[in-house]
Amino acid sequence: MIDAVNHLSNLDDRFQLDLSRLVILRHSAGGHLALWLASRMNKVHTDDLGKSLVVPIQSVISLVGVERIRELSYRSDTYLYYLRSG
């Protein structure tokens, strides 16, 4: 996901993007990724591959994303089955 966001800087001139107003919005399993990306927003963090976020993100919106997957796993094995197979 970091690569996808960083790639926007390559498209900036071609499509006249205003990257100063970038908002990430994802749904369901993508909502989990949006929350993960938010953890990299105002910090110099890298992902497991050592990649850092170079495009500034103003906000991240997670629609129906689960923010505490570990806690949920203790309560609902059925939900996790759907997360893995979805």
Side-chain angles (χ1 to χ4, degrees), residues 18-26 56-61:
D18 182 0
L19 295 179
S20 68
R21 298 170 32 154
L22 182 62
V23 175
I24 304 296
L25 183 140
R26 301 287 308 251
I57 296 173
Q58 296 304 307
S59 297
V60 171
I61 301 169

Side-chain angles (χ1 to χ4, degrees), residues 4-60:
V5 173
N6 287 343
H7 183 66
L8 292 173
S9 65
N10 298 331
L11 304 174
D12 186 18
D13 292 333
R14 184 175 173 196
F15 295 101
Q16 300 177 5
L17 301 175
D18 182 0
L19 295 179
S20 68
R21 298 170 32 154
L22 182 62
V23 175
I24 304 296
L25 183 140
R26 301 287 308 251
H27 180 266
S28 191
H32 312 319
L33 293 174
L35 293 171
W36 172 83
L37 187 62
S39 73
R40 269 101 180 113
M41 279 175 47
N42 296 312
K43 303 172 186 168
V44 182
H45 284 299
T46 59
D47 67 5
D48 293 337
L49 301 174
K51 298 175 183 173
S52 59
L53 190 60
V54 296
V55 175
I57 296 173
Q58 296 304 307
S59 297
V60 171

